[in-house]
């Protein structure tokens, strides 16, 4: 049996087509109370750097282009 | 030129982004601008951005102007209420709705005549919390408006003003308006009446409204006005086809400490909806008649723990 050491899915996903971080936007990074989002400077898009999400949702709500999506676990919904 | 002095205060880089050819960069620059501190520098730039060619930029500017209270801001926001993009108008309406400075009421009042529909309703909503005396006349005139949204907002203004001169019109709206939400707001507004007699006929009428939300509001308003002579109607409302209305009837009967309501309230203790059982238990405690004790004792076996708790509380209230 293999162990899943690296999780490949994170709750906060960013649509790279829509993300405008390259144009100077940092809204999701700024609103996150846990400071777990970051801008990937190479790609010019936001991404989830640390998986400590509280599912509080401002990143999804405030994103000016609707690029951020938070997957809320079934049991929290 | 003011632009030069503005450039002195804000970073040249931000100013450059404000006029970038890419509307998304202009929009992000606006967000950064709204975060900076100096009001004198920000506000003129935000007002200017309300005229941007890009709708997203205009919408961002309209939202960012919230909290800045001056004649220029209010005039500019009123101007974009009729923007071709509905989001711009909606953001402007929200920003106007947050106004706290009653001295700006005059600017809003002056804009009423030239406006209609959505814009007019938004201006009335902004006027509501300012409670300026001058809004009585226009609000009374607007309750005959063809647009239900405008009527809702105008009736809201009258409810906040609490001017007895509006009671006759409000009674009429409460019973005769074609829109049920307008009737509901009017029924709620009647709660400020100084004497029950003036509004009782309208409220009694509203208790038979076809919309349950209106009936619910009427039942609440009668409780708020401590309408002793409405007890028979309130007891009848305990048989309403909507439990939501029954809950409010139970609350009002509890407030009135009506002994006549005991049978109806005891009956509600076994209703399938637990929220109604809770409210009935509370009301029985308020009435304070020991005749309710057997029914409350049975409610101690209720499957809902909240009902059990409130029944126990009601029993100690009665014993006191």
């Amino acid at each position: 049996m293999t162990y899943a050491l690296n999780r490949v899915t994170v709750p906060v996903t960013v649509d790279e087509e829509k993300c405008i971080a390259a144009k100077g936007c940092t809204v999701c990074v700024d609103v996150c109370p846990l400071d777990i989002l970051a801008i990937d400077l190479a790609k010019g898009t936001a991404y989830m750097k640390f998986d400590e999400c509280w599912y509080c949702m401002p990143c999804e709500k405030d994103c000016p282009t609707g690029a951020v999506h938070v997957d809320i676990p079934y049991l929290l919904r | 030129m003011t632009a030069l002095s503005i450039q002195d205060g804000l970073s040249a880089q931000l100013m450059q982004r404000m006029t970038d050819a890419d509307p998304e960069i202009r929009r992000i620059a606006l967000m950064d601008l709204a975060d900076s501190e100096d009001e004198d520098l920000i506000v003129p730039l935000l007002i200017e951005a309300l005229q941007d060619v890009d709708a997203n930029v205009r919408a961002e500017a309209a939202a960012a102007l919230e909290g800045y209270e001056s004649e220029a801001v209010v005039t500019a926001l009123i101007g974009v209420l009729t923007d071709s993009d509905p989001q711009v108008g909606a953001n402007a309406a929200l920003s106007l709705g947050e106004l706290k400075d009653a001295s700006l009421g005059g600017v809003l009042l002056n804009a009423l005549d030239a406006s209609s529909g959505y814009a007019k309703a938004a201006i009335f909503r902004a006027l509501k919390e300012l409670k300026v005396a001058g809004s009585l006349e226009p609000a009374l005139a607007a309750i005959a408006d063809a647009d239900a949204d405008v009527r809702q907002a105008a009736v809201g203004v009258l409810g906040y003003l609490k001017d007895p001169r509006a009671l006759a019109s409000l009674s009429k709206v409460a019973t005769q308006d074609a829109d049920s939400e307008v009737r509901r707001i009017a029924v709620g507004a009647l709660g400020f009446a100084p004497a029950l007699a003036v509004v009782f006929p309208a409220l009694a009428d509203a208790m038979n409204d076809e919309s349950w939300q209106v009936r619910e509001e009427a039942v609440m308003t009668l409780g708020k006005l401590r309408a002793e002579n409405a007890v028979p109607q309130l007891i009848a409302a305990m048989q309403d086809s909507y439990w939501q209305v029954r809950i409010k009837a139970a609350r009002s009967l509890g407030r009135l400490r009506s002994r006549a309501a005991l049978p109806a309230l005891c009956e509600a203790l076994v209703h399938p909806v637990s929220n109604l059982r809770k409210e009935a238990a509370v009301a029985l405690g308020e009435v304070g008649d020991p005749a309710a004790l057997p029914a409350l004792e049975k409610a101690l076996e209720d499957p809902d723990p909240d009902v059990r708790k409130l029944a126990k509380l009601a029993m100690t209230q009665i014993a006191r």
Side-chain angles (χ1 to χ4, degrees), chain B:
Chain B
M1 277 286 286
T2 52
L4 274 177
S5 55
I6 287 165
Q7 268 176 337
D8 293 338
L10 299 166
S11 78
Q13 193 241 8
L14 181 59
M15 284 306 297
Q16 206 184 352
R17 283 162 61 215
M18 291 281 299
T19 50
D20 197 281
D22 185 339
E24 262 160 359
I25 291 186
R26 293 204 298 279
R27 185 176 172 195
I28 298 162
L30 266 191
M31 291 183 203
D32 293 344
L33 176 70
D35 285 339
S36 56
E37 301 285 310
D38 198 334
E39 187 172 327
D40 295 337
L41 296 176
I42 303 168
V43 171
L45 288 170
L46 289 176
I47 291 177
E48 205 181 306
L50 284 175
Q51 307 302 327
D52 198 283
V53 285
D54 184 75
N56 282 333
V57 175
R58 295 200 301 276
E60 195 65 51
L65 278 168
E66 184 198 316
Y68 295 112
E69 313 211 349
S70 73
E71 221 176 298
V73 171
V74 174
T75 312
L77 285 173
I78 292 172
V80 295
L81 281 174
T82 47
D83 195 282
S84 57
D85 186 274
Q87 191 59 48
V88 180
N91 286 0
L94 280 177
S95 293
L96 284 171
E98 293 298 320
L99 288 176
K100 299 284 178 285
D101 184 353
S103 67
L104 293 169
V107 186
L108 292 163
L109 286 170
N110 286 339
L112 273 175
D113 277 339
S115 60
S116 63
Y118 180 76
K120 195 166 193 173
I123 296 173
F124 272 126
R125 294 210 165 93
L127 279 166
K128 186 167 88 170
E129 285 190 43
L130 300 183
K131 294 188 224 172
V132 283
S135 55
L136 179 70
E137 292 291 328
L140 281 173
I143 54 177
D145 200 285
D147 190 330
D149 197 26
V150 174
R151 297 203 301 278
Q152 280 178 20
V155 169
V157 169
L158 295 174
Y160 264 66
L161 273 179
K162 299 194 198 302
D163 188 320
R165 280 173 290 172
L167 284 174
S169 304
L170 282 173
S171 299
K172 211 168 143 197
V173 174
T175 49
Q176 291 173 14
D177 199 281
D179 183 85
S180 65
E181 183 61 11
V182 177
R183 293 199 301 277
R184 189 191 67 76
I185 301 170
V187 166
L190 290 176
F192 74 76
L196 175 67
V198 195
V199 294
F200 186 72
L203 288 174
D205 221 21
M207 299 242 334
N208 298 315
D209 199 284
E210 57 178 27
S211 151
W212 68 265
Q213 287 97 335
V214 178
R215 298 201 297 276
E216 185 189 29
E217 195 76 36
V219 166
M220 271 198 287
T221 308
L222 284 167
K224 207 159 101 185
L225 287 165
R226 309 216 173 259
E228 304 277 353
N229 47 346
V231 166
Q233 281 101 323
L234 287 171
I235 292 176
M238 288 299 292
Q239 303 303 324
D240 197 282
S241 50
Y242 278 80
W243 55 263
Q244 292 90 333
V245 180
R246 295 189 193 195
I247 285 184
K248 298 293 154 56
R251 182 168 296 170
S252 292
L253 286 165
R255 270 182 135 176
L256 290 163
R257 318 187 95 210
S258 157
R259 261 161 220 257
L262 276 186
L265 290 172
C266 288
E267 197 188 316
L269 275 180
V270 293
H271 193 273
V273 172
S274 63
N275 276 352
L276 177 54
R277 300 203 296 276
K278 277 187 242 176
E279 206 60 52
V282 174
L284 284 168
E286 283 174 312
V287 174
D289 191 324
L293 286 174
L296 283 169
E297 236 159 80
K298 260 188 223 141
L300 293 178
E301 312 280 296
D302 198 280
D304 186 319
D306 274 341
V307 178
R308 297 201 293 270
K309 195 167 78 183
L310 291 168
K312 189 141 204 173
L313 208 67
M315 288 173 74
T316 44
Q317 215 175 345
I318 291 172
R320 230 184 285 144

Side-chain angles (χ1 to χ4, degrees), chain A residues 38-53:
Chain A
I39 307 292
D40 183 334
L41 291 171
K43 277 199 272 181
T45 53
Y47 72 107
M48 188 173 202
K49 193 171 179 187
F50 306 102
D51 187 357
E52 294 279 335
C53 187

